[in-house]
Amino acid sequence: LHFKNYDSLGNASYLTAGEMKLPGMYLYFSISYALCFLLWACNIRNIRRGMDPIWTPRGVVTSRPTVHAIHHLMTLLIGLKTVTVFFEALRYHFIKIHGHAEFLSAVYLVMSFVKGIFLFTVILLIGSGWSLVKPVLGDREKMVIWLVLILQVIDNIAVVVLSQETEGEKLYADWTAVLHLVDIVCCCAVLVPIVWQVNSLEKVVEGENAPNLNDEGNGETSMPKAITNIESENLVTAEAGRTLQKLKQFQRFYILVVVYIYFTRIVVYLFATILGYRLTWLRYFVTELGTLVFYCVVGFLFRPMDDNPYFEADIRADDSDFVHSEEIEFSQASL
């Protein structure tokens, strides 16, 4: 006994009324992720070849941006996300036509498992500042990463069990509770390294500002000594400015991760409760749209940038030397 629905074009479909639009929706999102992947990969390639990055405005003089190891992991993550969403589109398409898609469902679950682990790992590595602020991870960061990886394994086991059970059974309800609990713990765990990194950068900024305040309080600075030390002062100022810039960057990342978790775990769930049975596809649409925006914002926020804290200082030093030479020439002309 088979039950079929019919879409707006009159074609037979084994999908429910609320799932009719999912194959096309996931296909469009896979194309969007593929475009993001190509844009990100081309930007990385241009930088490694010594060319100008894509996001650099024309006419702005900067040194060459640095590609870190985390940028390659971000490339792999967006590639995994593209493939996962594409297989999700294929899975729903075969279910629509044949009523089942065991092989594609298995492939999708494997890809979703790998992508989920990679997503939380990349967020943890970015939040801990690995390869952006520090070259190695501390013991605390490693412990959190292992904890999240174990929880992700449990989370994906719950997903596999739920895919084989019927809604309404006791086993289904138990594994649903496990899934939600593990997901919440993972979301809370990824915020911990970001908080540690923000606190660490705040201490560095406070330590760099303290000597400047003491120097200003003395008020005794001779002009020849100031001219002699102008380059070193500019270098220190550039280093402090770069630290402050990274602090603001990680503060924005913390807010962004909190908003993403709140949106995909709470707002989408509340939104789904008010949808009719023909509009249940909107829940998946809103989730994927929020995820796409999150990927784009994080990619722009942590794109390869100039890591040389002395480049700006060198420009300022050159300008100061130029002004000083002009003053000497003016004084000699007056004599």
Side-chain angles (χ1 to χ4, degrees):
L1 182 62
H2 297 281
F3 294 94
K4 294 183 181 180
N5 286 322
Y6 293 90
D7 57 19
S8 58
L9 300 177
N11 298 322
S13 173
Y14 286 98
L15 296 174
T16 63
E19 297 175 340
M20 292 284 191
K21 299 182 182 297
L22 289 182
M25 185 204 76
Y26 280 117
L27 179 61
Y28 293 143
F29 273 110
S30 66
I31 295 174
S32 301
Y33 285 115
L35 293 176
C36 294
F37 173 79
L38 291 176
L39 185 65
W40 180 265
C42 289
N43 187 51
I44 298 294
R45 184 194 61 181
N46 290 346
I47 294 173
R48 291 180 64 86
R49 290 184 177 181
M51 302 169 62
D52 292 333
I54 296 177
W55 288 289
T56 300
R58 294 188 178 277
V60 177
V61 180
T62 59
S63 63
R64 180 182 175 183
T66 304
V67 178
H68 296 281
I70 190 65
H71 295 129
H72 297 297
L73 293 181
M74 294 169 69
T75 305
L76 186 56
L77 173 61
I78 188 66
L80 287 173
K81 180 64 177 179
T82 302
V83 176
T84 302
V85 176
F86 179 72
F87 274 104
E88 180 76 333
L90 287 179
R91 186 173 76 94
Y92 274 106
H93 176 70
F94 273 82
I95 293 176
K96 175 183 177 180
I97 297 176
H98 304 288
H100 56 86
E102 289 80 6
F103 175 75
L104 289 175
S105 296
V107 174
Y108 166 73
L109 290 175
V110 172
M111 295 301 301
S112 180
F113 170 71
V114 177
K115 185 268 301 178
I117 290 180
F118 239 85
L119 174 61
F120 281 97
T121 303
V122 169
I123 293 177
L124 285 168
L125 291 176
I126 293 176
S128 62
W130 177 72
S131 82
L132 294 172
V133 178
K134 52 188 176 183
V136 295
L137 293 174
D139 294 334
R140 296 186 306 175
E141 289 86 358
K142 293 179 181 179
M143 181 181 64
V144 173
I145 290 177
W146 280 111
L147 175 63
V148 171
L149 292 180
I150 294 173
L151 291 175
Q152 278 295 299
V153 173
I154 299 175
D155 183 84
N156 284 275
I157 292 175
V159 171
V160 173
V161 173
L162 290 176
S163 65
Q164 303 297 325
E165 298 297 328
T166 304
E167 186 174 358
E169 295 182 351
K170 185 180 184 302
L171 187 61
Y172 185 92
D174 294 340
W175 278 101
T176 301
V178 172
L179 178 64
H180 290 312
L181 178 61
V182 172
D183 193 50
I184 292 174
V185 174
C186 285
C187 293
C188 295
V190 297
L191 297 176
V192 175
I194 306 177
V195 175
W196 289 342
Q197 186 62 37
V198 169
N199 292 336
S200 177
L201 290 173
E202 285 178 347
K203 292 179 181 179
V204 173
V205 171
E206 291 174 358
E208 290 175 346
N209 290 335
N212 295 335
L213 294 176
N214 295 331
D215 294 341
E216 292 178 359
N218 295 333
E220 297 179 358
T221 304
S222 59
M223 183 59 66
K225 184 178 180 181
I227 294 175
T228 304
N229 297 331
I230 186 172
E231 183 176 357
S232 61
E233 292 176 358
N234 285 333
L235 296 180
V236 173
T237 303
E239 182 67 29
R242 183 54 56 89
T243 304
L244 182 61
Q245 180 184 0
K246 288 187 178 295
L247 173 60
K248 294 180 179 179
Q249 186 181 30
F250 280 94
Q251 287 174 340
R252 296 190 191 101
F253 182 61
Y254 175 80
I255 296 174
L256 183 62
V257 173
V258 170
V259 171
Y260 173 71
I261 293 173
Y262 181 80
F263 179 79
T264 55
R265 269 65 179 179
I266 299 177
V267 174
V268 173
Y269 175 78
L270 296 176
F271 176 69
T273 59
I274 64 174
L275 296 175
Y277 74 98
R278 292 183 178 273
L279 299 176
T280 54
W281 64 274
L282 286 175
R283 174 181 183 176
Y284 306 99
F285 174 81
V286 172
T287 302
E288 287 298 332
L289 182 62
T291 304
L292 178 62
V293 173
F294 175 75
Y295 275 59
C296 293
V297 176
V298 172
F300 182 79
L301 188 63
F302 290 94
R303 66 192 185 277
M305 292 184 291
D306 172 30
D307 276 349
N308 183 8
Y310 306 107
F311 181 75
E312 184 178 358
D314 292 341
I315 296 178
R316 292 179 180 178
D318 293 341
D319 293 340
S320 300
D321 294 340
F322 175 76
V323 172
H324 180 57
S325 63
E326 290 291 332
E327 291 178 353
I328 294 177
E329 292 178 0
F330 178 75
S331 60
Q332 292 176 352
S334 300
L335 294 176

